[in-house]
Amino acid sequence: MIRAGKASVREGFFRLRSECRDRFERDYLTDLLRRFEGDVSLAAKHAQLPRGTFYRLLKKHALTPEDFRT
């Protein structure tokens, strides 16, 4: 394993890009669910995503709309 500073070769571009994308998705979905109080239809509309895609992303990140409802 070659080290360049604190990062290793195992922390290559594609893995780090994937981690950043996943972190962004989770943060973005969480923000939308909070803002729209768990209303998936409104959150998906605001994000300009089909509801099915929104639900797929929620499942990927283990987020449940019920946790954001008041």
Side-chain angles (χ1 to χ4, degrees), residues 43-59:
K45 185 175 183 177
H46 183 80
Q48 299 178 3
L49 289 172
R51 263 193 357 229
T53 301
F54 198 88
Y55 273 113
R56 180 181 54 77
L57 288 168
L58 292 178
K59 183 176 181 180

Side-chain angles (χ1 to χ4, degrees), residues 4-66:
K6 292 184 179 184
S8 69
V9 171
R10 291 184 198 175
E11 296 173 352
F13 172 80
F14 294 105
R15 187 170 79 70
L16 291 174
R17 181 179 68 173
S18 178
E19 288 176 6
C20 288
R21 183 186 59 235
D22 288 345
R23 190 171 29 252
F24 165 78
E25 287 176 356
R26 183 172 176 78
D27 291 347
Y28 185 64
L29 294 170
T30 300
D31 178 60
L32 287 172
L33 289 171
R34 280 192 188 119
R35 188 180 319 174
F36 295 104
E37 298 177 346
D39 187 324
V40 173
S41 292
L42 286 176
K45 185 175 183 177
H46 183 80
Q48 299 178 3
L49 289 172
R51 263 193 357 229
T53 301
F54 198 88
Y55 273 113
R56 180 181 54 77
L57 288 168
L58 292 178
K59 183 176 181 180
K60 173 182 174 183
H61 297 287
L63 296 169
T64 55
E66 293 79 21

